[in-house]
Amino acid sequence: MRLLITGGAGFIGSATVHAALAAGHRVVTLDKLTYAGSLDNLGDGPLNSNGHRFVQGDIADGELLATLFRVEQPDAVLHLAAETHVDRSIDAPTAFIDSNIVGTVALLNAARRYRDGLTGERADRFRFLHISTDEVYGALGNEGAFDDASPYRPNSPYAASKASADMLVRAWGRTYGLPVLITNCSNNYGPRQFPEKLIPLTVLNAIHGLPIPVYGSGSNVRDWLYVEDHVSALMTILERGCPGEIYLVGGRAEQRNIDLVRRICRLLDEWRPNGRPYEDLISFVSDRPGHDFRYAIDDTRLRTSLDWSPRIGIDEGIRRTVAWYLDNEPWWQARCQGRWQSARLGLGAVAA
């Protein structure tokens, strides 16, 4: 297949590009290259060879999209381009509306026009796979899990923007007959995740001897999904999923934030001892506004109907991830412009 992957220079997007190329697909990557995207994520080889073409651009650019669809003739779209960091959405929500909602509509319109011009087998096999988040469902208490019938109750500007995008994708499927698929995943982690997220932030603050911030009491719970497992789910859904369906993708690896941070600190004590426990650097800070207490996913549909399950457990995944950041200092130094910065975001101080 020939795939158009939006956001393909980001964390999950680049992992998807690598997996698609390894599976023999031809890939066109479209990425705006905002702060979280990097050509380094796509590897050391030529960007426009071996079945891969990179295009820098905005998914909200209708003229660019029309040209891409006409020239590249994709068999499917995997839509991963998005602003994703909750804290940034609290400080400056407008960027999330522009990218996650307005950009998604532009992409849907371009895909619809393109698909309407296809005939026969090519029209039948076209797919639009929209990748979203479990945060659209809001917060859970101590029990239960989200499933594909859970109501949408987003509690942050980020979650609201992704919920809006999900609903638009569904509407384009029902109203215009675009063959869409939607996935909602739990917290991803792994190599090449931008250092603002919890796991790389913990690793890098620790090795720089800086306070490791933990929101509130650290009791908030997330389900963790290794990025390679998420990508394997996406490829499975793209190839065998039923258009119009929603598939939840989880790792079944719930962790309290404080327990996850302590797990990372213990690994660093083992691999890079500095004379005192890294846990001494943990600093409990004021909680994020509207911080959801717990997320958990019931991914039974995906596991039973498409025979998918994650292969990397939380123990192995965390070890792989911490080792990658320790072994790839040039990558994160480049992301941090030569020095580590860890300014607190998400306090709602900037209105936008």
Side-chain angles (χ1 to χ4, degrees):
M1 284 194 294
R2 189 164 184 84
L3 307 178
L4 171 59
I5 300 178
T6 71
F11 168 47
I12 303 173
S14 61
T16 305
V17 169
H18 288 299
L21 290 171
H25 300 298
R26 297 180 64 81
V27 175
V28 179
T29 295
L30 174 62
D31 199 291
K32 191 177 179 180
L33 294 181
T34 62
Y35 75 95
S38 171
L39 295 180
D40 292 344
N41 292 341
L42 294 170
D44 298 326
L47 289 173
N48 297 309
S49 64
N50 300 320
H52 181 231
R53 180 188 173 203
F54 175 80
V55 177
Q56 183 174 354
D58 191 336
I59 58 170
D61 185 339
E63 184 176 346
L64 171 63
L65 293 175
T67 300
L68 268 182
F69 277 100
R70 184 180 68 253
V71 172
E72 302 298 341
Q73 297 284 303
D75 299 302
V77 175
L78 289 89
H79 178 32
L80 293 111
E83 294 287 340
T84 65
H85 191 39
V86 174
D87 286 357
R88 288 181 185 270
S89 82
I90 293 170
D91 289 344
T94 302
F96 289 72
I97 305 305
D98 292 341
S99 177
N100 300 356
I101 300 177
V102 177
T104 296
V105 170
L107 187 62
L108 285 166
N109 282 334
R112 175 197 168 198
R113 286 191 291 267
Y114 166 73
R115 198 261 183 174
D116 285 350
L118 300 177
T119 59
E121 182 183 349
R122 292 202 63 211
D124 292 340
R125 72 169 180 251
F126 183 80
R127 297 289 184 269
F128 185 105
L129 174 54
H130 171 65
I131 291 83
S132 189
T133 172
D134 58 359
E135 299 193 33
V136 300
Y137 300 116
L140 290 167
N142 290 319
E143 303 294 333
F146 302 129
D147 61 28
D148 56 284
S150 295
Y152 276 31
R153 292 173 177 168
N155 291 321
S156 70
Y158 162 64
S161 70
K162 291 299 288 184
S164 300
D166 291 8
M167 292 179 182
L168 290 164
V169 171
R170 182 179 186 275
W172 258 245
R174 292 293 294 269
T175 302
Y176 303 116
L178 189 67
V180 300
L181 301 138
I182 298 174
T183 63
N184 298 93
C185 70
S186 57
N187 278 38
N188 277 225
Y189 70 103
R192 300 185 183 88
Q193 188 171 35
F194 192 77
E196 67 192 359
K197 298 299 179 74
L198 176 62
I199 291 175
L201 179 69
T202 297
V203 174
L204 299 184
N205 272 31
I207 64 177
H208 285 87
L210 297 172
I212 301 170
V214 176
Y215 292 171
S217 66
S219 60
N220 300 75
V221 176
R222 298 294 181 264
D223 173 41
W224 293 92
L225 174 66
Y226 194 66
V227 65
E228 290 180 9
D229 283 327
H230 183 199
V231 171
S232 75
L234 296 181
M235 300 309 295
T236 298
I237 293 163
L238 179 66
E239 294 166 4
R240 297 193 278 118
C242 180
E245 295 290 350
I246 297 173
Y247 295 93
L248 274 67
V249 189
R252 298 193 183 182
E254 290 184 49
Q255 296 273 300
R256 294 193 310 162
N257 287 346
I258 185 60
D259 295 333
L260 183 66
V261 169
R262 286 171 175 157
R263 180 194 291 263
I264 294 168
C265 288
R266 288 193 292 270
L267 273 178
L268 292 172
D269 288 338
E270 176 185 348
W271 290 345
R272 190 172 286 191
N274 71 349
R276 65 168 183 163
Y278 283 99
E279 285 190 33
D280 290 353
L281 294 171
I282 292 174
S283 174
F284 294 95
V285 299
S286 58
D287 208 353
R288 168 193 290 162
H291 197 182
D292 291 336
F293 173 63
R294 174 175 167 263
Y295 303 143
I297 276 186
D298 178 357
D299 55 4
T300 300
R301 167 179 290 192
L302 177 58
R303 291 177 183 245
T304 57
S305 65
L306 300 184
D307 192 29
W308 174 90
S309 61
R311 295 189 300 174
I312 308 300
I314 188 71
D315 290 334
E316 181 181 354
I318 292 297
R319 293 181 72 88
R320 287 189 185 189
T321 302
V322 173
W324 189 89
Y325 282 96
L326 294 179
D327 293 341
N328 288 273
E329 182 172 342
W331 182 92
W332 53 257
Q333 285 284 11
R335 305 289 79 71
C336 303
Q337 299 180 339
R339 62 189 180 90
W340 178 234
Q341 301 176 12
S342 58
R344 173 72 191 274
L345 300 171
L347 295 176
V350 180

